[in-house]
Amino acid sequence: MTKIVLDAELKERLLGLSQPVELCDDSGRVLGRVFPAVDLSQYEPWEPPFDEAELRRREQSGERRYTTAEVLEHLERL
């Protein structure tokens, strides 16, 4: 991967990014896009609201289940 070292001014402008930004030349031509690095330490692990026992219970409940194709067909008819 090629690295480009930023000068202090550009570094300060990019430091606080929270959303992607386009880098353009003087004529407005897009030269690249920069996506801010994600700090995963700011996030907590996510657990689904049900456990394996609940999944097994739902599988064995006898309730009607739908395939992906059936769901997509239904959505197309909406």
Side-chain angles (χ1 to χ4, degrees):
M1 178 184 296
T2 303
K3 289 186 179 184
I4 298 175
V5 179
L6 306 178
D7 63 28
E9 179 185 348
L10 184 53
K11 177 185 167 190
E12 283 301 315
R13 292 178 67 184
L14 297 176
L15 197 58
L17 289 180
S18 61
Q19 295 185 6
V21 65
E22 289 184 335
L23 300 177
C24 303
D25 63 13
D26 293 342
S27 68
R29 189 180 89 204
V30 176
L31 302 174
R33 292 176 179 86
V34 176
F35 295 83
V38 177
D39 182 2
L40 297 178
S41 69
Q42 298 177 359
Y43 299 92
E44 294 181 20
W46 178 81
E47 292 290 329
F50 39 82
D51 58 12
E52 289 294 323
E54 175 65 11
L55 289 174
R56 282 191 297 278
R57 184 193 69 72
R58 290 182 184 198
E59 284 178 347
Q60 297 168 357
S61 71
E63 292 180 25
R64 171 77 165 105
R65 296 174 64 176
Y66 300 92
T67 66
T68 302
E70 290 171 323
V71 171
L72 292 174
E73 182 181 330
H74 172 74
L75 291 173
E76 287 175 2
R77 283 186 269 156
L78 293 179

